[in-house]
Amino acid sequence: MISPLAKIRIIDDDPAMLESWKFLLNSLGCDVVTYNSAKEFLEKDDPHPMGCILLDVRMPEMSGLELQELLKETKNELPIVFCSGHGTIDMAVLAVRKGAVDFLEKPVEVERLVESLERACEKDAQRVEAQTLSLREKEKVDSLTHREKEVAKALADGSSNRAAGLKLGISEKTVQIHRGSLCKKLGIRSQIEISKVVEKYHF
């Protein structure tokens, strides 16, 4: 089932199609918002709620494929499910190659539509979770003192506490204290994990 926390944005210039899909998805408990053009979507949509986009291909002013390209350029990572009555194999291959979750042909079976939207919303949920974890990790790294970062860097090449102390001109005991503190802040335990953090954040 599609997560009730997900917002499904439907973009189609056919009012009847918009209402039909909205009624269907609302009946399944989905949070749905509709737009009759790519321009309206760009002007009004809040990109922050997780979810996905159900997108028509042929629309006036800006096509679905053009919108996909623009969203990619602006780093809007909402997953896209295309649904078109005028699609070609080449068009479908291009859309999927550029990151679309699926390319459906109108009229589409309800089960197929729901399954594609479910995969798209799950993909976005995983993206949001990864971003949240990354932000939490960055906050932990930012909490390190200058000396703790120096100790982490000195240990990153596999050096012992004693060797790291010699590099920094401090005692082995002091290295142990800072090492214990930085590991506690970062929620890590091993020297390999320290090395990975140093490499990732370029201490």
Side-chain angles (χ1 to χ4, degrees):
M1 292 295 294
I2 299 172
S3 169
L5 300 176
K7 175 176 283 188
I8 299 175
R9 295 93 164 154
I10 307 175
I11 309 172
D12 198 304
D13 64 328
D14 183 343
M17 186 63 69
L18 283 178
E19 287 304 311
S20 175
W21 276 341
K22 183 175 182 179
F23 178 81
L24 167 66
L25 294 171
N26 279 161
S27 71
L28 296 174
C30 300
D31 181 13
V32 179
V33 59
T34 60
Y35 302 103
N36 59 28
S37 68
K39 181 181 178 182
E40 184 183 20
F41 166 81
L42 292 170
E43 290 175 347
K44 298 181 179 180
D45 189 67
D46 179 359
H48 296 102
M50 61 147 289
C52 69
I53 300 170
L54 178 57
L55 181 59
D56 189 20
V57 175
R58 292 191 178 180
M59 296 183 293
E61 296 185 13
M62 182 183 293
S63 72
L65 292 173
E66 289 172 332
L67 177 60
Q68 180 189 31
E69 192 66 33
L70 178 59
L71 293 179
K72 188 174 182 180
E73 290 174 2
T74 56
K75 301 188 183 307
N76 185 323
E77 299 181 73
L78 283 169
I80 296 173
V81 173
F82 279 102
C83 194
S84 174
H86 307 283
T88 65
I89 293 177
D90 287 344
M91 190 183 294
V93 169
L94 177 62
V96 173
R97 184 179 295 164
K98 291 189 175 184
V101 172
D102 207 345
F103 195 105
L104 309 175
E105 185 177 0
K106 296 178 183 176
V108 59
E109 294 182 357
V110 173
E111 293 80 5
R112 176 75 189 280
L113 175 64
V114 172
E115 188 272 335
S116 293
L117 293 175
E118 184 178 3
R119 283 194 290 116
C121 290
E122 177 60 27
K123 179 180 179 181
D124 202 45
Q126 292 173 356
R127 175 185 67 84
V128 171
E129 182 180 10
Q131 287 181 340
T132 301
L133 291 173
S134 179
L135 179 60
R136 288 174 181 168
E137 181 182 75
K138 180 65 165 56
E139 289 173 346
K140 291 178 181 178
V141 169
D142 289 342
S143 74
L144 298 179
T145 66
H146 177 68
R147 177 60 86 183
E148 286 167 349
K149 290 181 179 179
E150 285 185 331
V151 169
K153 186 175 181 180
L155 293 167
D157 63 358
S159 295
S160 66
N161 291 338
R162 184 172 182 277
L166 290 173
K167 290 180 189 177
L168 299 172
I170 58 179
S171 70
E172 181 179 355
K173 181 64 176 179
T174 301
V175 171
Q176 289 175 340
I177 292 172
H178 287 302
R179 178 174 180 166
S181 177
L182 73 89
C183 284
K184 184 176 180 180
K185 288 181 179 180
L186 297 177
I188 60 178
R189 306 181 77 173
S190 72
Q191 196 158 351
I192 292 177
E193 290 174 303
I194 293 174
S195 299
K196 288 180 179 179
V197 171
V198 170
E199 181 179 4
K200 182 175 181 179
Y201 292 96
H202 309 291
F203 289 2

Coordinates of all heavy atoms in Angstrom, one line a residue, residues 104-190:
L104 N 4.0 4.5 -17.9 CA 2.7 3.7 -18.1 C 2.0 4.3 -19.3 O 2.1 5.5 -19.6 CB 1.9 3.8 -16.8 CG 2.5 3.5 -15.5 CD1 1.6 3.7 -14.3 CD2 3.0 2.0 -15.5
E105 N 1.2 3.4 -19.9 CA 0.4 3.8 -21.1 C -1.1 4.0 -20.7 O -1.6 3.1 -20.0 CB 0.5 2.8 -22.2 CG -0.1 3.2 -23.5 CD 0.1 2.2 -24.6 OE1 0.8 1.2 -24.4 OE2 -0.5 2.5 -25.7
K106 N -1.7 5.1 -21.0 CA -3.1 5.3 -20.8 C -3.9 4.5 -21.8 O -3.5 4.4 -22.9 CB -3.5 6.8 -20.9 CG -2.9 7.7 -19.9 CD -3.3 9.1 -20.2 CE -2.7 10.1 -19.2 NZ -3.0 11.5 -19.6
P107 N -5.1 3.9 -21.4 CA -5.6 3.8 -20.0 C -4.8 2.7 -19.2 O -4.4 1.7 -19.8 CB -7.0 3.4 -20.2 CG -7.0 2.6 -21.5 CD -6.0 3.3 -22.3
V108 N -4.5 3.0 -18.0 CA -3.6 2.1 -17.2 C -4.5 1.4 -16.2 O -5.5 1.9 -15.6 CB -2.5 2.9 -16.5 CG1 -3.1 4.0 -15.5 CG2 -1.6 2.0 -15.7
E109 N -4.2 0.1 -16.0 CA -4.9 -0.7 -15.0 C -4.6 -0.1 -13.6 O -3.5 0.3 -13.3 CB -4.4 -2.1 -15.0 CG -4.8 -2.9 -16.3 CD -4.4 -4.3 -16.3 OE1 -3.8 -4.7 -15.3 OE2 -4.7 -5.0 -17.3
V110 N -5.6 -0.1 -12.7 CA -5.5 0.4 -11.4 C -4.3 -0.2 -10.6 O -3.5 0.4 -10.0 CB -6.8 0.3 -10.6 CG1 -6.6 0.7 -9.2 CG2 -7.9 1.1 -11.3
E111 N -4.3 -1.6 -10.7 CA -3.2 -2.3 -9.9 C -1.8 -1.9 -10.4 O -0.9 -1.7 -9.5 CB -3.4 -3.8 -10.1 CG -4.7 -4.4 -9.5 CD -5.9 -4.2 -10.4 OE1 -5.7 -3.6 -11.5 OE2 -7.0 -4.5 -9.9
R112 N -1.6 -1.7 -11.7 CA -0.3 -1.3 -12.2 C 0.0 0.1 -11.7 O 1.2 0.4 -11.4 CB -0.3 -1.4 -13.7 CG 0.9 -0.9 -14.4 CD 2.1 -1.9 -14.3 NE 3.3 -1.3 -14.7 CZ 3.7 -1.2 -16.0 NH1 2.9 -1.7 -17.0 NH2 4.8 -0.7 -16.4
L113 N -1.0 1.0 -11.8 CA -0.8 2.4 -11.4 C -0.4 2.4 -9.9 O 0.6 3.1 -9.6 CB -2.0 3.2 -11.6 CG -2.0 4.6 -11.1 CD1 -0.9 5.4 -11.9 CD2 -3.4 5.3 -11.3
V114 N -1.1 1.8 -9.1 CA -0.9 1.8 -7.6 C 0.5 1.2 -7.3 O 1.2 1.7 -6.5 CB -2.0 1.0 -6.9 CG1 -1.6 0.9 -5.4 CG2 -3.3 1.8 -7.0
E115 N 0.8 0.1 -8.0 CA 2.1 -0.6 -7.7 C 3.3 0.4 -8.1 O 4.3 0.5 -7.4 CB 2.2 -1.9 -8.6 CG 3.4 -2.7 -8.3 CD 4.6 -2.4 -9.1 OE1 4.5 -1.8 -10.2 OE2 5.8 -2.6 -8.6
S116 N 3.2 1.1 -9.2 CA 4.2 2.0 -9.6 C 4.3 3.2 -8.6 O 5.4 3.6 -8.3 CB 3.9 2.5 -11.0 OG 4.0 1.5 -12.0
L117 N 3.2 3.7 -8.2 CA 3.2 4.8 -7.3 C 3.8 4.4 -5.9 O 4.5 5.1 -5.3 CB 1.8 5.4 -7.1 CG 1.2 6.1 -8.3 CD1 -0.2 6.5 -8.1 CD2 2.1 7.3 -8.7
E118 N 3.5 3.2 -5.5 CA 4.0 2.6 -4.3 C 5.5 2.5 -4.3 O 6.2 2.9 -3.4 CB 3.4 1.3 -4.0 CG 3.8 0.6 -2.7 CD 3.1 -0.7 -2.4 OE1 2.4 -1.2 -3.3 OE2 3.4 -1.3 -1.4
R119 N 6.0 2.1 -5.5 CA 7.5 2.0 -5.6 C 8.2 3.3 -5.6 O 9.2 3.5 -5.0 CB 7.9 1.2 -6.9 CG 7.7 -0.3 -6.8 CD 8.4 -1.0 -8.0 NE 7.7 -0.7 -9.3 CZ 8.2 -0.1 -10.3 NH1 9.4 0.4 -10.2 NH2 7.5 0.0 -11.4
A120 N 7.5 4.3 -6.2 CA 8.0 5.7 -6.3 C 8.0 6.3 -4.9 O 9.0 6.9 -4.5 CB 7.2 6.5 -7.2
C121 N 7.0 6.1 -4.1 CA 6.9 6.7 -2.8 C 7.9 6.0 -1.9 O 8.5 6.7 -1.0 CB 5.5 6.6 -2.2 SG 4.3 7.6 -3.1
E122 N 8.1 4.7 -2.0 CA 9.1 4.0 -1.2 C 10.5 4.5 -1.5 O 11.3 4.6 -0.6 CB 9.0 2.5 -1.4 CG 10.0 1.7 -0.7 CD 9.9 1.8 0.8 OE1 8.8 2.1 1.3 OE2 10.9 1.6 1.5
K123 N 10.7 4.7 -2.8 CA 12.0 5.2 -3.2 C 12.3 6.6 -2.5 O 13.4 6.9 -2.0 CB 12.1 5.4 -4.7 CG 13.4 5.9 -5.2 CD 13.4 6.0 -6.8 CE 14.7 6.6 -7.3 NZ 14.7 6.7 -8.8
D124 N 11.3 7.5 -2.5 CA 11.5 8.8 -1.9 C 11.6 8.7 -0.4 O 12.4 9.4 0.2 CB 10.3 9.7 -2.3 CG 10.7 11.2 -2.1 OD1 11.8 11.5 -2.6 OD2 9.9 11.9 -1.6
A125 N 10.9 7.8 0.2 CA 11.0 7.6 1.7 C 12.4 7.2 2.0 O 13.0 7.6 3.0 CB 10.0 6.5 2.1
Q126 N 13.0 6.3 1.2 CA 14.4 5.9 1.5 C 15.4 7.1 1.3 O 16.4 7.2 2.0 CB 14.8 4.7 0.5 CG 14.0 3.4 0.8 CD 14.3 2.4 -0.2 OE1 15.0 2.6 -1.3 NE2 13.7 1.2 0.0
R127 N 15.1 7.9 0.3 CA 15.9 9.1 0.0 C 15.9 10.0 1.2 O 16.9 10.5 1.7 CB 15.5 9.8 -1.2 CG 16.2 11.1 -1.5 CD 15.6 11.9 -2.7 NE 14.3 12.4 -2.4 CZ 13.9 13.5 -1.8 NH1 14.9 14.3 -1.3 NH2 12.7 13.8 -1.6
V128 N 14.7 10.3 1.7 CA 14.5 11.2 2.9 C 15.2 10.6 4.1 O 15.8 11.4 4.9 CB 13.0 11.5 3.1 CG1 12.8 12.2 4.4 CG2 12.4 12.2 2.0
E129 N 15.0 9.3 4.3 CA 15.7 8.7 5.5 C 17.2 8.8 5.4 O 17.8 9.1 6.4 CB 15.3 7.2 5.6 CG 15.9 6.5 6.8 CD 15.5 5.0 6.8 OE1 14.9 4.5 5.9 OE2 15.7 4.4 7.9
A130 N 17.7 8.6 4.2 CA 19.2 8.7 4.0 C 19.7 10.2 4.3 O 20.7 10.4 4.9 CB 19.6 8.3 2.6
Q131 N 18.9 11.1 3.8 CA 19.2 12.5 4.1 C 19.2 12.9 5.5 O 20.0 13.6 6.0 CB 18.3 13.4 3.3 CG 18.5 13.4 1.8 CD 17.6 14.4 1.0 OE1 16.5 14.8 1.5 NE2 18.0 14.7 -0.2
T132 N 18.2 12.3 6.2 CA 18.1 12.6 7.7 C 19.2 12.0 8.4 O 19.8 12.6 9.3 CB 16.7 12.0 8.2 OG1 15.6 12.6 7.5 CG2 16.6 12.2 9.7
L133 N 19.6 10.8 8.1 CA 20.7 10.1 8.7 C 22.0 10.9 8.5 O 22.9 11.1 9.3 CB 20.9 8.7 8.3 CG 19.8 7.7 8.7 CD1 19.9 6.4 8.0 CD2 19.8 7.6 10.2
S134 N 22.2 11.4 7.2 CA 23.4 12.1 6.9 C 23.4 13.4 7.6 O 24.5 13.9 8.1 CB 23.4 12.4 5.4 OG 24.5 13.1 5.0
L135 N 22.3 14.1 7.8 CA 22.2 15.4 8.5 C 22.6 15.1 10.0 O 23.3 15.9 10.6 CB 20.8 16.0 8.4 CG 20.6 17.3 9.2 CD1 21.6 18.4 8.6 CD2 19.2 17.8 9.0
R136 N 22.1 14.1 10.6 CA 22.4 13.7 12.0 C 23.9 13.5 12.1 O 24.5 13.9 13.1 CB 21.6 12.5 12.4 CG 20.1 12.8 12.6 CD 19.3 11.6 12.9 NE 17.9 11.8 13.1 CZ 17.0 10.9 13.2 NH1 17.3 9.6 13.1 NH2 15.7 11.2 13.3
E137 N 24.5 12.7 11.2 CA 25.9 12.5 11.2 C 26.7 13.7 11.1 O 27.7 13.9 11.9 CB 26.3 11.5 10.1 CG 27.8 11.1 10.1 CD 28.1 10.3 8.9 OE1 28.2 10.8 7.8 OE2 28.3 9.0 9.2
K138 N 26.3 14.6 10.2 CA 27.0 15.9 10.1 C 26.9 16.7 11.4 O 27.9 17.4 11.8 CB 26.3 16.7 8.9 CG 27.0 18.1 8.7 CD 28.4 17.9 8.2 CE 28.9 19.2 7.6 NZ 28.9 20.4 8.4
E139 N 25.8 16.7 12.0 CA 25.6 17.4 13.3 C 26.6 16.9 14.4 O 27.1 17.6 15.2 CB 24.2 17.4 13.8 CG 23.2 18.2 12.9 CD 21.8 18.0 13.3 OE1 21.5 17.0 14.1 OE2 20.9 18.8 12.9
K140 N 26.7 15.6 14.4 CA 27.6 14.9 15.3 C 29.1 15.3 15.0 O 29.9 15.6 15.9 CB 27.5 13.4 15.3 CG 26.2 12.9 15.8 CD 26.1 11.3 15.6 CE 24.8 10.8 16.1 NZ 24.7 9.3 15.9
V141 N 29.5 15.3 13.7 CA 30.8 15.7 13.4 C 31.1 17.2 13.7 O 32.1 17.6 14.2 CB 31.0 15.5 11.8 CG1 32.3 16.2 11.4 CG2 31.0 14.0 11.5
D142 N 30.1 18.1 13.5 CA 30.2 19.5 13.9 C 30.4 19.7 15.4 O 30.9 20.8 15.8 CB 29.0 20.3 13.3 CG 29.0 20.4 11.8 OD1 30.1 20.2 11.2 OD2 27.9 20.7 11.3
S143 N 29.9 18.7 16.2 CA 30.1 18.9 17.6 C 31.5 18.6 18.1 O 31.8 18.8 19.3 CB 29.0 18.0 18.3 OG 29.5 16.6 18.3
L144 N 32.3 18.0 17.3 CA 33.7 17.7 17.7 C 34.5 19.0 17.9 O 34.4 19.9 17.1 CB 34.4 16.8 16.6 CG 33.8 15.5 16.3 CD1 34.6 14.8 15.2 CD2 33.7 14.6 17.6
T145 N 35.4 18.9 18.9 CA 36.3 20.1 19.1 C 37.4 20.0 18.1 O 37.6 19.0 17.4 CB 36.9 20.0 20.5 OG1 37.7 18.9 20.6 CG2 35.8 20.0 21.6
H146 N 38.2 21.1 18.0 CA 39.3 21.1 17.1 C 40.3 20.0 17.4 O 40.8 19.4 16.6 CB 40.0 22.5 17.1 CG 41.2 22.6 16.3 ND1 41.1 22.6 14.9 CD2 42.5 22.8 16.6 CE1 42.3 22.7 14.4 NE2 43.2 22.8 15.4
R147 N 40.6 19.9 18.7 CA 41.5 18.9 19.2 C 41.0 17.5 18.9 O 41.8 16.6 18.4 CB 41.8 19.0 20.6 CG 42.8 18.0 21.2 CD 44.1 18.0 20.5 NE 45.0 19.0 21.1 CZ 46.2 19.2 20.7 NH1 46.7 18.6 19.6 NH2 47.0 20.1 21.3
E148 N 39.8 17.2 19.0 CA 39.2 15.9 18.7 C 39.4 15.6 17.3 O 39.7 14.4 16.9 CB 37.7 15.8 19.2 CG 37.6 15.7 20.7 CD 36.1 16.0 21.1 OE1 35.3 16.4 20.3 OE2 35.8 15.7 22.3
K149 N 39.2 16.5 16.4 CA 39.4 16.3 15.0 C 40.8 16.1 14.6 O 41.2 15.2 13.8 CB 38.9 17.5 14.2 CG 37.4 17.7 14.2 CD 36.9 18.9 13.4 CE 35.4 19.1 13.3 NZ 35.0 20.2 12.6
E150 N 41.7 16.7 15.3 CA 43.2 16.5 15.1 C 43.5 15.1 15.6 O 44.3 14.4 14.9 CB 44.0 17.5 16.0 CG 44.0 18.9 15.4 CD 44.9 19.8 16.2 OE1 45.1 19.6 17.4 OE2 45.5 20.8 15.6
V151 N 43.0 14.6 16.7 CA 43.3 13.3 17.1 C 42.7 12.3 16.1 O 43.4 11.3 15.8 CB 42.7 13.1 18.5 CG1 42.7 11.6 18.9 CG2 43.4 13.9 19.6
A152 N 41.5 12.5 15.7 CA 40.9 11.6 14.7 C 41.8 11.5 13.4 O 42.0 10.4 12.9 CB 39.5 12.1 14.3
K153 N 42.3 12.6 13.0 CA 43.1 12.6 11.8 C 44.4 11.9 12.0 O 44.9 11.2 11.2 CB 43.4 14.1 11.4 CG 44.1 14.2 10.0 CD 44.2 15.7 9.6 CE 45.0 15.8 8.3 NZ 45.1 17.2 7.9
A154 N 45.0 12.1 13.2 CA 46.2 11.4 13.6 C 46.1 9.9 13.7 O 47.0 9.1 13.4 CB 46.8 12.0 14.9
L155 N 44.9 9.5 14.0 CA 44.6 8.0 14.1 C 44.2 7.4 12.8 O 44.1 6.2 12.7 CB 43.5 7.8 15.2 CG 43.9 8.1 16.7 CD1 42.6 8.1 17.5 CD2 44.9 7.1 17.2
A156 N 43.8 8.2 11.9 CA 43.1 7.7 10.7 C 44.0 6.8 9.8 O 43.5 5.9 9.1 CB 42.6 8.9 9.8
D157 N 45.3 6.9 9.9 CA 46.2 6.1 9.1 C 46.5 4.8 9.8 O 47.4 4.0 9.4 CB 47.4 6.8 8.7 CG 48.3 7.2 9.9 OD1 47.9 6.9 11.1 OD2 49.4 7.8 9.7
G158 N 45.9 4.5 11.0 CA 46.1 3.3 11.7 C 47.1 3.4 12.8 O 47.5 2.4 13.4
S159 N 47.5 4.6 13.1 CA 48.5 4.9 14.1 C 48.0 4.5 15.5 O 46.8 4.6 15.7 CB 48.9 6.3 14.2 OG 49.6 6.7 13.0
S160 N 48.9 4.1 16.4 CA 48.5 3.8 17.7 C 48.2 5.1 18.5 O 48.6 6.2 18.0 CB 49.6 3.0 18.4 OG 50.8 3.8 18.6
N161 N 47.7 5.0 19.7 CA 47.4 6.2 20.5 C 48.8 6.9 20.8 O 48.9 8.1 20.7 CB 46.8 5.8 21.8 CG 45.3 5.4 21.6 OD1 44.7 5.7 20.6 ND2 44.8 4.6 22.6
R162 N 49.8 6.1 21.1 CA 51.1 6.6 21.4 C 51.7 7.4 20.2 O 52.2 8.5 20.3 CB 52.1 5.5 21.8 CG 53.4 6.0 22.2 CD 54.2 4.8 22.9 NE 55.5 5.3 23.3 CZ 56.6 5.4 22.5 NH1 56.5 5.1 21.2 NH2 57.8 5.8 23.0
A163 N 51.6 6.7 19.0 CA 52.1 7.3 17.8 C 51.4 8.6 17.4 O 52.0 9.6 17.0 CB 52.1 6.4 16.6
A164 N 50.1 8.6 17.6 CA 49.3 9.8 17.4 C 49.6 10.9 18.3 O 49.7 12.1 17.9 CB 47.8 9.5 17.5
G165 N 49.9 10.6 19.6 CA 50.4 11.6 20.5 C 51.7 12.2 20.1 O 51.9 13.4 20.3
L166 N 52.6 11.4 19.6 CA 53.9 11.9 19.2 C 53.7 12.9 18.0 O 54.4 13.9 17.9 CB 54.8 10.8 18.8 CG 55.3 9.9 19.9 CD1 56.1 8.7 19.4 CD2 56.2 10.7 20.9
K167 N 52.8 12.6 17.1 CA 52.5 13.5 16.0 C 52.0 14.8 16.4 O 52.4 15.9 15.9 CB 51.4 12.9 15.1 CG 51.8 11.6 14.3 CD 50.6 11.2 13.4 CE 50.8 9.8 12.8 NZ 49.7 9.4 12.0
L168 N 51.2 14.8 17.5 CA 50.5 16.0 17.9 C 51.2 16.7 19.1 O 50.8 17.8 19.5 CB 49.0 15.7 18.4 CG 48.1 15.1 17.3 CD1 46.8 14.6 17.9 CD2 47.9 16.1 16.2
G169 N 52.2 16.0 19.6 CA 53.0 16.6 20.7 C 52.2 16.6 22.0 O 52.3 17.5 22.9
I170 N 51.3 15.5 22.2 CA 50.6 15.4 23.4 C 50.8 14.0 23.9 O 51.3 13.1 23.2 CB 49.1 15.6 23.2 CG1 48.5 14.7 22.1 CG2 48.8 17.1 22.8 CD1 47.0 14.9 21.9
S171 N 50.4 13.7 25.2 CA 50.6 12.4 25.8 C 49.7 11.3 25.2 O 48.6 11.7 24.7 CB 50.5 12.5 27.3 OG 49.1 12.7 27.6
E172 N 50.1 10.1 25.4 CA 49.2 9.0 25.0 C 47.9 9.0 25.7 O 46.8 8.7 25.2 CB 49.9 7.7 25.2 CG 49.1 6.4 24.8 CD 49.9 5.1 25.0 OE1 51.1 5.2 25.4 OE2 49.3 4.1 24.8
K173 N 48.0 9.4 27.0 CA 46.8 9.4 27.8 C 45.8 10.5 27.3 O 44.6 10.3 27.3 CB 47.2 9.8 29.3 CG 46.0 9.9 30.3 CD 45.3 8.5 30.4 CE 44.2 8.6 31.5 NZ 43.5 7.3 31.6
T174 N 46.3 11.6 26.9 CA 45.5 12.7 26.3 C 44.8 12.2 25.1 O 43.6 12.5 24.8 CB 46.3 14.0 26.1 OG1 46.9 14.4 27.3 CG2 45.4 15.1 25.5
V175 N 45.5 11.5 24.2 CA 45.0 10.9 23.0 C 43.8 10.0 23.3 O 42.7 10.0 22.7 CB 46.0 10.2 22.2 CG1 45.4 9.4 21.0 CG2 47.1 11.2 21.6
Q176 N 44.0 9.2 24.3 CA 43.0 8.2 24.8 C 41.7 8.9 25.2 O 40.6 8.5 24.9 CB 43.5 7.3 25.9 CG 44.6 6.3 25.5 CD 45.1 5.6 26.7 OE1 45.0 6.0 27.8 NE2 45.8 4.4 26.4
I177 N 41.9 10.0 25.9 CA 40.8 10.8 26.4 C 40.0 11.4 25.2 O 38.7 11.3 25.2 CB 41.2 11.9 27.4 CG1 41.8 11.3 28.7 CG2 40.1 12.9 27.7 CD1 42.4 12.3 29.6
H178 N 40.7 12.0 24.3 CA 40.0 12.7 23.2 C 39.4 11.6 22.2 O 38.3 11.8 21.7 CB 41.0 13.5 22.4 CG 41.4 14.8 23.1 ND1 40.4 15.7 23.4 CD2 42.6 15.3 23.5 CE1 41.0 16.8 24.0 NE2 42.3 16.5 24.1
R179 N 40.1 10.5 22.1 CA 39.6 9.4 21.3 C 38.3 8.9 21.9 O 37.3 8.7 21.1 CB 40.6 8.3 21.2 CG 40.1 7.1 20.4 CD 41.2 6.0 20.2 NE 40.8 4.9 19.5 CZ 41.6 4.0 18.9 NH1 42.9 4.1 19.1 NH2 41.1 2.9 18.2
G180 N 38.2 8.7 23.2 CA 37.0 8.2 23.8 C 35.9 9.2 23.6 O 34.7 8.8 23.4
S181 N 36.2 10.5 23.7 CA 35.2 11.5 23.6 C 34.6 11.6 22.2 O 33.4 11.7 22.0 CB 35.8 12.9 24.0 OG 34.8 13.9 23.8
L182 N 35.5 11.6 21.2 CA 35.0 11.7 19.8 C 34.2 10.5 19.4 O 33.2 10.6 18.6 CB 36.2 12.0 18.8 CG 37.2 10.9 18.5 CD1 36.8 10.1 17.3 CD2 38.6 11.5 18.2
C183 N 34.6 9.3 19.8 CA 33.9 8.1 19.5 C 32.5 8.1 20.1 O 31.5 7.6 19.5 CB 34.7 6.8 20.0 SG 36.1 6.4 19.0
K184 N 32.4 8.6 21.3 CA 31.1 8.7 22.0 C 30.2 9.7 21.3 O 29.0 9.4 21.0 CB 31.3 9.2 23.5 CG 30.0 9.2 24.3 CD 30.3 9.6 25.7 CE 29.0 9.6 26.5 NZ 29.2 10.0 27.9
K185 N 30.7 10.8 20.9 CA 29.9 11.8 20.1 C 29.5 11.3 18.8 O 28.3 11.5 18.4 CB 30.8 13.1 19.9 CG 31.0 13.9 21.1 CD 31.8 15.2 20.8 CE 32.0 16.0 22.0 NZ 32.8 17.3 21.7
L186 N 30.3 10.5 18.1 CA 30.0 10.0 16.8 C 29.2 8.7 16.8 O 28.7 8.3 15.8 CB 31.2 9.8 15.9 CG 32.1 11.1 15.6 CD1 33.3 10.8 14.9 CD2 31.2 12.1 14.9
G187 N 29.2 8.1 18.0 CA 28.5 6.8 18.1 C 29.3 5.7 17.4 O 28.7 4.8 16.8
I188 N 30.6 5.7 17.4 CA 31.4 4.7 16.7 C 32.4 4.1 17.8 O 32.5 4.7 18.9 CB 32.2 5.3 15.5 CG1 33.2 6.4 16.0 CG2 31.3 5.8 14.5 CD1 34.0 7.0 14.9
R189 N 33.1 3.1 17.3 CA 34.0 2.4 18.3 C 35.4 2.1 17.7 O 36.3 2.1 18.4 CB 33.3 1.1 18.8 CG 31.9 1.3 19.3 CD 31.3 0.0 19.8 NE 31.8 -0.4 21.1 CZ 31.4 -1.5 21.8 NH1 30.3 -2.2 21.3 NH2 31.9 -1.8 22.9
S190 N 35.4 1.7 16.5 CA 36.7 1.2 15.9 C 37.5 2.3 15.2 O 37.0 3.4 14.8 CB 36.4 0.1 14.9 OG 35.8 0.6 13.7

